[in-house]
């Protein structure tokens, strides 16, 4: 991309200086000054913690040939483009720079408080099973051309997405679109063929301030649908029903998922023992033995099914793939121990997710159910009381322990947990700060037919070290089972 082309791409351009080198070729783009190289375009973003405009000099020292920003900047030695919104400009520019890599693909955006990763992974697996190649951007990883990459955010910026998709041969792209990403214009300009809404419940209120704001953030995804695009919505969720009503009122086609006869894809009957599901799709009834457990996962299956049949997968082929799906790492991963105890490791960290996860475990557990969980430092503290009362009600015993501390100290977290237990806990609750010690205690007090449910981290690596030298919950359970 040449420098002078930049001026045409940015609508509200106000170049600080004339274009000294219109033929200068932009060799890369970054919004991180420390990653700028010779000939790069630097995009200065005023962020939540830092202001990228304070790093423009560093970016120029590193070789930036032009800068985009929101603030007035004078006397820079390279052309400066002042724009209304740097994040939007970043997305727009990266699309042009990488020659619109999403334009010739089927784009699926999945949003919702819970179920994005499971639903997105189901869709990817069903499509891959049936002849479509499918790229994936989500919480657990990114997959492009069948290559798996680690990821930072659930939803990267479009710069990162386009960089990965440049040269991708994938037919379809599934993107988990978080409310943060939508608020921060991370996928600005992407036109989706399908937008999925799994559910909305209490989470991230520290960021959005209210459920209404949280809902409005999620709703943005549905304004990014192509003209031919379709919304696929769980209308058994209150916010989903509201969204469907609003979209239908605007003439947007909606495919509804739920347990109601009027739903386009109905979760007709689910039993957990044996694990079997009956889906109704129009006149057809589909019976299957899913590999996933829990009613919440039946909704994920219904969402994924509704999407893939729209793309062209035959119903019976979709069912076959759903039954073979191996699940998502750390989403209700079950381990059978020598003692006869079953351990489920799950990622749930919201009240709604915890409710579903505990209910599922309760349905499978014939003996005692011990639940082990904690709360992430610096995250939405308003959901903790609700989570403790759900656990108090649905588990026989629970242990409050450490989750990611972030900037909170271990001692501060201990005080938080003790205070929460005293205020909202019951006599079956305890606090054991060291996560591995807490797992050890839970395993020591269970046996045949008992279950231990460990939630909050799932597959994720521990952010801090504990007594036993292990990196995650799965490793801790295996280590202690061998001990
Ligand atoms: C609070 C938040 O969402 N922050 C996101 C935001 O960062 P920011 O722009 O505010 O960054 P900042 O640290 O304030 O820095 C501002 C700017 O200065 C630049 N800078 C800074 C320092 C320097 O030396 N040089 C320099 O250029 C930075 O590169 C940045 O462009 O934009 C970044 C680029 O997209 C994101 O990586 C980052 O996500 C942070 C890491 C994060 O943890 N976000 C969480 C809340 C999040 O987004 N979670 C959702 C999933 C939620 C869920 O469903 O559970 C997600 O999609 O991951
Ligand atoms: N449809 C659902 N409704 C409620 N809870 C769910 C649903 N699907 C999954 N969960 C619960 O939420 C947890 C997270 O599931 P998943 O990773 O699929 O969702 P997510 O939206 O990607 O979450 P995150 O954005 O935190 O990664 C699961 O471990 C499970 O306990």
């Amino acid at each position: 991309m040449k420098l002078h082309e930049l001026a045409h791409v940015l609508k509200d351009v106000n170049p600080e200086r004339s274009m000294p080198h219109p033929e200068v070729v932009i060799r890369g783009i970054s919004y991180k000054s420390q990653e700028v190289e010779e000939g790069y375009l630097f995009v200065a973003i005023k962020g939540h913690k830092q202001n990228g405009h304070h790093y423009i000099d560093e970016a120029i020292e590193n070789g930036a040939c032009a800068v985009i920003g929101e603030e007035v900047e004078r006397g820079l030695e390279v052309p400066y483009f002042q724009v209304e919104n740097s994040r939007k400009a970043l997305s727009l520019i990266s699309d042009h720079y990488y020659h619109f890599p999403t334009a010739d693909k089927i784009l699926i955006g999945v949003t919702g408080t819970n179920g994005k990763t499971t639903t997105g992974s189901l869709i990817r697996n069903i499509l891959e099973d049936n002849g479509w190649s499918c790229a994936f951007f989500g919480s657990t990883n990114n997959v492009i051309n069948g290559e798996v990459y680690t990821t930072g955010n659930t939803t990267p910026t479009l710069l990162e997405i386009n960089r990965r998709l440049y040269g991708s041969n994938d037919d379809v792209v599934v993107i988990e679109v978080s409310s943060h990403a939508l608020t921060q214009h991370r996928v600005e300009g992407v036109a989706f063929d399908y937008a999925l809404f799994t559910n909305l419940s209490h989470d991230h209120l520290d960021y959005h301030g209210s459920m209404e704001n949280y809902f409005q953030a999620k709703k943005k995804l549905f304004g990014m649908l192509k003209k031919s695009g379709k919304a696929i919505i769980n209308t058994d969720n209150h916010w989903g029903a509201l969204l469907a009503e609003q979209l239908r009122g605007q003439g947007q086609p909606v495919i509804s998922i739920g347990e109601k006869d009027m739903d386009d894809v109905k979760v007709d009957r689910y039993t957990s023992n044996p694990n079997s599901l009956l889906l109704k799709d129009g006149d057809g009834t589909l019976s299957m033995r899913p590999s996933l457990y829990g009613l919440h996962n039946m909704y994920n299956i219904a969402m994924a099914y509704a999407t893939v049949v729209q793309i062209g997968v035959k119903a019976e082929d979709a069912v076959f793939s759903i039954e073979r799906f191996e699940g998502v790492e750390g989403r209700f991963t079950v381990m059978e121990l020598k003692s006869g105890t079953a351990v489920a490791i799950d990622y749930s960290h919201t009240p709604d997710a915890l409710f579903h996860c505990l209910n599922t475990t309760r349905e499978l557990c014939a003996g005692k159910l011990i639940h082990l969980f904690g709360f992430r430092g610096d995250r939405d503290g308003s959901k903790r009381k609700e989570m403790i009362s759900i656990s108090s009600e649905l588990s026989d015993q629970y242990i409050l322990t450490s989750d990611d501390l972030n900037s909170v100290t271990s001692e501060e977290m201990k005080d938080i947990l003790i205070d929460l237990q005293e205020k909202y806990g019951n006599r079956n609750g305890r606090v054991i700060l060291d996560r591995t010690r807490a797992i050890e205690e839970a395993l020591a007090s269970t046996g045949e037919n008992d279950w231990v449910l460990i939630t909050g981290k799932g597959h994720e690596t521990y952010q801090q070290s504990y007594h036993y030298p292990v990196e995650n919950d799965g490793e801790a359970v295996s280590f202690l089972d061998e001990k």
Side-chain angles (χ1 to χ4, degrees):
M1 177 183 230
K2 298 242 175 56
L3 208 47
H4 65 79
E5 293 171 63
L6 207 50
H8 300 298
V9 172
L10 296 171
K11 300 279 178 299
D12 49 356
V13 163
N14 167 25
E16 165 66 7
R17 303 171 38 177
S18 63
M19 205 63 67
H21 305 292
E23 287 314 298
V24 167
V25 175
I26 293 171
R27 300 192 181 290
I29 303 171
S30 183
Y31 57 90
K32 300 176 182 175
S33 60
Q34 60 276 35
E35 292 181 6
V36 167
E37 296 178 20
E38 193 60 36
Y40 266 48
L41 167 68
F42 175 61
V43 181
I45 295 173
K46 197 168 181 180
H48 297 80
K49 286 189 290 192
Q50 306 197 63
N51 185 346
H53 294 77
H54 299 162
Y55 300 95
I56 289 176
D57 290 344
E58 180 189 12
I60 294 172
E61 274 162 37
N62 288 342
C65 66
V67 177
I68 290 177
E70 296 171 358
E71 298 177 355
V72 173
E73 297 288 345
R74 300 203 182 292
L76 295 181
E77 54 196 85
V78 299
Y80 177 72
F81 299 80
Q82 187 176 1
V83 294
E84 199 179 305
N85 184 310
S86 290
R87 295 187 197 275
K88 279 188 183 177
L90 177 67
S91 294
L92 189 65
I93 292 295
S94 78
D95 247 351
H96 282 261
Y97 183 78
Y98 288 104
H99 307 298
F100 305 96
T102 59
D104 62 347
K105 300 179 187 304
I106 297 172
L107 267 295
I108 302 170
V110 188
T111 197
T113 303
N114 291 302
K116 299 188 294 296
T117 303
T118 304
T119 303
S121 304
L122 270 163
I123 290 171
R124 180 174 180 277
N125 279 271
I126 298 168
L127 290 175
E128 290 275 335
D129 266 2
N130 291 281
W132 278 266
S133 59
C134 185
F136 179 78
F137 294 88
S139 305
T140 48
N141 56 36
N142 295 342
V143 185
I144 293 90
N145 286 341
E147 295 289 321
V148 181
Y149 304 89
T150 54
T151 180
N153 289 107
T154 294
T155 314
T157 64
L158 194 55
L159 173 64
E160 280 119 359
I161 290 173
N162 283 336
R163 190 180 285 154
R164 289 257 190 248
L165 287 180
Y166 186 66
S168 145
N169 303 314
D170 296 298
D171 307 311
V172 184
V173 186
V174 173
I175 304 175
E176 282 186 45
V177 189
S178 65
S179 54
H180 295 81
L182 289 161
T183 305
Q184 295 169 25
H185 309 288
R186 289 186 209 162
V187 289
E188 188 81 14
V190 175
F192 289 91
D193 296 278
Y194 301 96
L196 277 62
F197 183 95
T198 58
N199 49 62
L200 195 76
S201 62
H202 187 163
D203 198 11
H204 304 312
L205 297 190
D206 56 321
Y207 186 80
H208 296 291
S210 70
M211 286 301 290
E212 180 58 29
N213 289 345
Y214 186 21
F215 172 68
Q216 291 302 329
K218 295 279 187 193
K219 187 179 171 185
K220 288 177 192 280
L221 178 64
F222 298 83
M224 301 168 74
L225 277 166
K226 292 175 182 171
K227 274 218 172 318
S228 58
K230 292 200 175 77
I232 299 174
I233 298 174
N234 164 15
T235 52
D236 282 356
N237 173 267
H238 160 72
W239 296 95
L242 178 64
L243 176 61
E245 185 189 347
Q246 292 177 356
L247 292 175
R248 284 176 174 135
Q250 296 157 13
Q252 168 64 49
V254 172
I255 295 168
S256 72
I257 310 295
E259 296 185 85
K260 306 175 292 300
D261 288 338
M262 60 195 272
D263 287 312
D264 297 297
V265 176
K266 180 186 175 190
V267 178
D268 191 41
R269 187 165 51 76
Y270 170 62
T271 60
S272 59
N273 194 4
N275 209 42
S276 75
L277 170 65
L278 214 54
L279 281 187
K280 277 202 171 152
D281 174 7
D283 306 332
T285 299
L286 299 148
S287 170
M288 65 188 86
R289 302 293 296 270
S291 55
L292 298 178
Y293 287 98
L295 181 59
H296 60 287
N297 274 318
M298 303 308 116
Y299 277 82
N300 296 334
I301 287 171
M303 297 284 289
Y305 168 83
T307 307
V308 297
V309 293
Q310 285 290 323
I311 292 174
V313 177
K314 290 199 189 74
E316 58 274 20
D317 293 338
V319 169
F320 182 68
S321 299
I322 288 165
E323 291 182 327
R324 291 169 59 224
F325 180 62
E326 289 171 4
V328 179
E329 207 188 347
R331 271 70 173 174
F332 215 77
T333 304
V334 179
M335 302 168 76
E336 300 288 344
L337 304 193
K338 291 175 187 161
S339 60
T341 301
V343 177
I345 293 171
D346 191 78
Y347 191 57
S348 42
H349 46 263
T350 70
D352 187 49
L354 204 49
F355 172 77
H356 284 285
C357 195
L358 273 163
N359 257 328
T360 302
T361 312
R362 178 51 81 196
E363 284 173 13
L364 297 167
C365 170
K368 180 169 57 175
L369 198 177
I370 298 184
H371 177 213
L372 190 151
F373 67 116
F375 307 106
R376 295 191 179 188
D378 302 338
R379 290 292 189 270
D380 182 359
S382 64
K383 61 188 179 182
R384 293 171 180 173
K385 174 186 169 189
E386 211 180 333
M387 289 170 73
I388 289 184
S389 60
I390 289 168
S391 185
S392 307
E393 196 184 310
L394 293 173
S395 68
D396 296 304
Q397 290 171 28
Y398 64 87
I399 303 175
L400 296 177
T401 188
S402 296
D403 194 316
D404 291 347
L405 292 173
N406 293 321
S407 70
V408 172
T409 67
S410 189
E411 277 313 302
E412 286 166 344
M413 183 51 75
K414 185 174 182 180
D415 293 343
I416 290 169
L417 295 177
I418 290 170
D419 182 51
L420 286 166
Q421 169 57 15
E422 282 167 3
K423 278 185 187 153
Y424 311 115
N426 68 13
R427 56 184 167 66
N428 299 319
R430 302 175 53 187
V431 173
I432 301 178
L433 192 64
D434 184 293
R435 195 173 178 100
T436 58
R437 286 280 198 200
I439 293 173
E440 181 178 43
E441 178 64 26
L443 299 187
S445 50
T446 49
E448 195 69 30
N449 296 325
D450 295 336
W451 280 68
V452 173
L453 172 65
I454 307 171
T455 61
K457 287 293 292 169
H459 66 293
E460 286 183 345
T461 304
Y462 291 152
Q463 197 185 68
Q464 56 269 358
S465 55
Y466 295 107
H467 175 77
Y468 291 110
V470 291
E471 294 289 307
N472 60 48
D473 288 341
E475 264 187 39
V477 171
S478 303
F479 177 88
L480 291 163
D481 191 31
E482 290 303 319
K483 196 163 159 282

